[in-house]
Amino acid sequence: MSSDTLTRIRYRYLPDHLIGEILSKRWIDNAVPFLALVVLVAVFGIIAPGFLSVSSITDLGRQVAEFGLIVLGLSIVLMSGGIDLSVASVFTLAVLASLIGTNVEGFSVGLTAIGVVFLGVVCGSINGYLIGYMRLRAFLTTLVTLIIFRSIYDILFLRMSTAIVASFSDSDFLFFIGSGTILGIPFSLWVTLIIAVGWHIVLSRMRPGWRLTAVGGARRSAYNAGISVRRTVFFAYVWSGALSALAGFLFAARIGSTGADTGVGLEVSALTAAVLGGNSLGGGRGSVAKAAMGALFVLILSNNLTNFGVSGPVNSTILGCVLISSVFIDMRWLRNRHKWLSKIYVSPAYLQLPPPPSATDANSPYALNDKLRSVEIIGLGQIDGPEDVILDRDDNLYCGTRHGDIVRFFGPDHKRHEVFAHIGGHPLGMQFDRDGNLLVCIGGMGLYKVTPQKEVIKLTDETNRSFLSVVDDSRLRLADDLDIAPDGRVYFSEATIRYEQEEWATDALESRGNGRMICYDPRTGTTKTEIHRRVFPNGVCMANDGVSFLFAESWIATINRYYFDGPKKGTIETVISNLPGYPDNINRASDGNYWAALLGMRTPALDLALSMPGFRRRMARRVAPDLWLYPNINTGCVVKFDEQGNILDALWDLGGQNHPMITSMREHKGYLYLGGVSNNRIGRYKLPDADPNWTAQDFYWGREGSSRT
């Protein structure tokens, strides 16, 4: 078996790219603490007698309910970019207040619980006001409030200890809170689970959670985005105090007493649990699951160390070492994550292209020429990055710019221009629908519509997610080009699901089937993926039969035809299989044929490298991105072809003086208008023998907007 065959098999059936995709997921942060937790449970399950017994698990559940609330509150503060060292002192104050309320004063359980939580809110508000509104340092502020709250506890405990010991509550409900179960699960754990689920929804699905992580991740940016940073920080500490106080109430209901050492060192344990679970000390990153895993790990470790006779100071030392290790790993991961991912994520595929057709042979249909050398220039220096161009029935010329605008040049001379619409992103492929609305693919945003009244409407920014996809391919990363079927369905290409628009060249380095063709149906408002695993699908153009469309696959230099209706529905046919360059947009010609833009020319070095995925992998890992092998985009070309794939004409700007990179072209009233994503101009080329009255809109939709038959 040849080495090429082995290489082909290895890179086809061993999906290396999945490793990078898995490591790029946000939940991968949970993998290490989860595996550590599993190992810890397995070890103590073997060496600790009765560790997995029902009574032991039930008792652990009650401790998790209390400790988990403290860790959750601290994690909320960490996500906001702060730290709360006073959680242990708030916890001990809450324990004391609970015992005074139920045992000494004889208040009802409900009233006591409300009062205790309110006490936690007051303590959290003090921290929140000093840190959020007064802008004091979180570490020093909560260190001081830790001492103050603990001192208040010590003073009150000395005065009330005798009364607490001498009295007790005979409330069955309080006993049920501390020792009761529902379906075999401790009542206190049910309370914590409900709160945890609620906070998971808040953090992952609601605006307060998004604002919290935004403030923690980049406080200045969050402020500039209109988020009330001070209020967000304030309420983070309020919630920390409230949850710590609730934990103290549950502890008092379970134990029924307190002592001078209650809560001592608890802040270290809680901080260890929060960081060990994966909540970042730097802010902006965390979750309820991380807090829960950290709490479980710390409780299991400390409880079993105590059961094995390890003294308190040694136990605390071990937890301190775990905390230092967790902080070290967290900081190293945050600092180097993108660097490590960049070396793993890029995963080239094996691709062997046939030798490209000659363009230097005078008898070749691709023979070099200078037909585009002296084209008329429109909008020189007034636009940047017109990836696609299109004209309406009134001869107005439209193009997108990398600044997020759609610019309109007024016909017939195209001297004056205006910003027709500001969308954001980078407008790419464009097409007019039956009613004169301009449909636009926006890189990183999806499919949009601009009405003749300049109203911008989002049509879709997601599609159905693939069942086996690791990356979230429901979000549209790089919607590229589109065309509209006679019945109004919109078919558009998404060049890649793995990279953003500014990383398109990295997709060229991979040259694997990262792209797809998608259908948006305006009648139902639904979007679905029509064709999977295409190699940088690009230009889209409806064929003359009305039941199929042509689409380009850039990196394999191919133009295909897909039947979305009719007897051949669902089939793909190759129209042109070996172009000399990389095809981009495809559009109709006045004689019933098609124009295709070649955004760049193939080179022997890159063609050879495509059959050497190992070489490209090493290049991606060891060489700076600006030194990688990229497609040659310095020479532009436009070809005309028929539905059988015959090349009818080729238009070159051999020196690349006017159009070094051509990504689109539109025929309109005897002229060919040229756009390029790297250009700062639009070209207009006079087509010999072309119909001077032909327009794409009238040809396709009819003069009155009725669909062509």
Side-chain angles (χ1 to χ4, degrees):
M1 187 177 293
S2 67
S3 60
D4 280 351
T5 303
L6 290 174
T7 303
R8 185 192 303 269
I9 294 174
R10 178 256 183 272
Y11 281 94
R12 180 174 182 179
Y13 295 104
L14 293 179
D16 300 42
H17 65 285
L18 294 182
I19 299 175
E21 290 177 357
I22 291 173
L23 292 178
S24 68
K25 301 296 288 183
R26 292 185 63 182
W27 51 257
I28 199 63
D29 293 344
N30 298 342
V32 173
F34 177 76
L35 292 176
L37 182 61
V38 170
V39 171
L40 190 71
V41 170
V43 169
F44 284 118
I46 295 173
I47 66 175
F51 174 71
L52 297 177
S53 64
V54 175
S55 60
S56 177
I57 294 175
T58 302
D59 186 59
L60 178 64
R62 293 190 175 94
Q63 295 180 59
V64 168
E66 300 153 11
F67 185 61
L69 287 174
I70 300 174
V71 176
L72 176 58
L74 180 56
S75 298
I76 293 170
V77 172
L78 290 178
M79 279 183 268
S80 73
I83 192 170
D84 189 357
L85 300 178
S86 68
V87 288
S89 297
V90 175
F91 169 82
T92 53
L93 270 178
V95 172
L96 183 61
S98 300
L99 294 175
I100 293 174
T102 56
N103 291 12
V104 178
E105 302 297 336
F107 296 148
S108 67
V109 175
L111 180 61
T112 303
I114 294 173
V116 168
V117 172
F118 179 75
L119 173 64
V121 169
V122 171
C123 295
S125 298
I126 294 173
N127 286 330
Y129 180 78
L130 293 174
I131 297 168
Y133 288 98
M134 299 298 292
R135 297 187 176 184
L136 301 183
R137 298 285 185 179
F139 183 87
L140 292 176
T141 301
T142 56
L143 180 62
V144 171
T145 54
L146 176 153
I147 297 171
I148 294 173
F149 297 156
R150 186 72 199 192
S151 299
I152 295 173
Y153 170 82
D154 291 336
I155 294 170
L156 293 177
F157 176 71
L158 289 176
R159 295 183 179 183
M160 303 298 297
S161 58
T162 303
I164 291 174
V165 173
S167 58
F168 65 92
S169 174
D170 58 356
S171 171
D172 294 335
F173 183 45
L174 184 64
F175 177 80
F176 178 76
I177 292 174
S179 304
T181 61
I182 299 177
L183 301 177
I185 299 176
F187 173 81
S188 57
L189 185 57
W190 279 111
V191 173
T192 300
L193 288 174
I194 293 172
I195 294 174
V197 170
W199 266 104
H200 171 73
I201 295 173
V202 169
L203 293 174
S204 61
R205 296 291 186 270
M206 299 179 67
R207 289 182 181 179
W210 302 337
R211 290 169 180 165
L212 184 74
T213 53
V215 168
R219 188 162 294 188
R220 173 60 62 180
S221 298
Y223 175 80
N224 292 335
I227 297 175
S228 178
V229 173
R230 295 182 178 183
R231 184 174 60 193
T232 301
V233 172
F234 173 81
F235 279 106
Y237 284 93
V238 169
W239 277 106
S240 176
L243 293 176
S244 298
L246 180 58
F249 175 78
L250 296 178
F251 178 87
R254 178 170 64 92
I255 301 298
S257 64
T258 185
D261 60 347
T262 300
V264 173
L266 186 59
E267 64 278 348
V268 176
S269 300
L271 185 60
T272 302
V275 177
L276 180 63
N279 296 293
S280 176
L281 279 174
R285 181 167 60 91
S287 69
V288 173
K290 292 179 172 67
M293 287 188 293
L296 269 173
F297 187 97
V298 169
L299 274 179
I300 292 173
L301 179 63
S302 59
N303 286 351
N304 282 277
L305 288 176
T306 301
N307 292 338
F308 281 112
V310 178
S311 62
V314 176
N315 198 329
S316 299
T317 301
I318 293 174
L319 287 179
C321 293
V322 172
L323 175 59
I324 293 175
S325 301
S326 301
V327 173
F328 175 77
I329 294 173
D330 177 69
M331 297 305 295
R332 292 283 295 177
W333 172 249
L334 281 179
R335 183 176 300 174
N336 298 296
R337 179 180 185 180
H338 292 291
K339 184 188 301 183
W340 295 333
L341 278 178
S342 65
K343 295 182 178 181
I344 298 174
Y345 193 82
V346 179
S347 179
Y350 178 87
L351 186 63
Q352 189 168 33
L353 300 179
S358 173
T360 58
D361 184 354
N363 296 319
S364 170
Y366 304 102
L368 297 172
N369 56 65
D370 282 327
K371 293 181 179 180
L372 301 181
R373 175 66 61 85
S374 58
V375 298
E376 178 186 350
I377 300 300
I378 298 172
L380 179 63
Q382 299 172 337
I383 51 176
D384 185 11
E387 197 273 347
D388 196 11
V389 294
I390 194 169
L391 294 99
D392 62 20
R393 289 187 174 92
D394 298 322
D395 302 331
N396 298 314
L397 174 64
Y398 300 78
C399 71
T401 74
R402 67 179 72 255
H403 304 298
D405 298 326
I406 296 177
V407 176
R408 174 165 63 180
F409 289 87
F410 294 99
D413 58 3
H414 306 123
K415 300 296 185 182
R416 296 183 302 111
H417 71 278
E418 68 170 0
V419 174
F420 178 66
H422 179 76
I423 298 181
H426 191 166
L428 302 176
M430 298 184 289
Q431 195 62 262
F432 283 106
D433 68 8
R434 184 195 310 272
D435 301 320
N437 300 303
L438 183 60
L439 273 61
V440 189
C441 286
I442 310 293
M445 294 175 61
L447 180 66
Y448 281 70
K449 176 174 71 175
V450 184
T451 68
Q453 294 75 35
K454 303 182 181 181
E455 181 185 6
V456 178
I457 301 172
K458 182 181 73 174
L459 298 180
T460 181
D461 61 358
E462 61 182 4
T463 183
N464 57 302
R465 180 165 183 172
S466 303
F467 181 71
L468 297 178
S469 177
V470 175
V471 298
D472 183 5
D473 62 352
S474 63
R475 180 177 71 86
L476 299 181
R477 287 176 178 264
L478 186 49
D480 201 337
D481 194 28
L482 76 145
D483 206 353
I484 306 171
D487 63 2
R489 283 179 290 176
V490 182
Y491 289 90
F492 62 97
S493 59
E494 184 177 27
T496 175
I497 64 172
R498 281 170 54 84
Y499 298 100
E500 306 296 339
Q501 180 177 347
E502 66 274 9
E503 301 171 308
W504 65 269
T506 307
D507 191 89
L509 186 68
E510 282 200 358
S511 290
R512 69 169 59 251
N514 294 331
R516 55 190 173 177
M517 300 299 303
I518 301 172
C519 175
Y520 167 75
D521 191 341
R523 298 168 298 185
T524 60
T526 58
T527 307
K528 69 173 183 177
T529 301
E530 195 83 11
I531 313 173
H532 294 273
R533 295 181 292 277
R534 310 314 297 186
V535 183
F536 209 82
N538 209 325
V540 184
C541 181
M542 287 292 152
N544 293 321
D545 60 7
V547 297
S548 65
F549 60 80
L550 306 172
F551 70 95
E553 289 187 86
S554 296
W555 309 142
I556 60 174
T558 297
I559 294 177
N560 300 310
R561 183 174 188 167
Y562 174 73
Y563 292 86
F564 58 86
D565 270 333
K568 294 184 177 181
K569 181 178 181 180
T571 61
I572 299 176
E573 297 176 351
T574 300
V575 178
I576 305 176
S577 61
N578 189 28
L579 286 161
Y582 306 104
D584 204 298
N585 287 4
I586 306 171
N587 286 302
R588 287 174 280 276
S590 59
D591 58 4
N593 296 305
Y594 305 91
W595 296 104
L598 303 186
L599 63 90
M601 296 298 110
R602 291 165 55 186
T603 59
L606 185 57
D607 278 7
L608 177 62
L610 292 178
S611 64
M612 305 167 63
F615 164 75
R616 281 149 48 221
R617 179 190 297 274
R618 291 191 295 273
M619 178 175 64
R621 292 181 177 181
R622 302 177 184 177
V623 179
D626 57 345
L627 299 177
W628 290 352
L629 279 175
Y630 288 127
N632 171 26
I633 59 174
N634 296 320
T635 302
C637 177
V638 175
V639 297
K640 180 191 280 189
F641 65 97
D642 60 23
E643 292 190 355
Q644 290 71 45
N646 300 307
I647 302 300
L648 307 178
D649 197 2
L651 310 176
W652 293 84
D653 178 8
L654 188 56
Q657 294 183 6
N658 275 333
H659 291 281
M661 180 186 188
I662 300 177
T663 55
S664 66
M665 71 280 104
R666 300 275 182 171
E667 183 176 342
H668 183 84
K669 292 187 177 181
Y671 288 90
L672 196 65
Y673 293 81
L674 309 171
V677 73
S678 295
N679 298 341
N680 65 346
R681 70 203 77 180
I682 297 172
R684 187 168 78 161
Y685 170 70
K686 175 66 175 176
L687 292 168
D689 303 323
D691 183 353
N693 298 313
W694 186 90
T695 69
Q697 276 185 280
D698 290 343
F699 171 76
Y700 192 74
W701 296 116
R703 292 188 181 275
E704 302 301 326
S706 59
S707 179
R708 167 179 64 88
T709 58

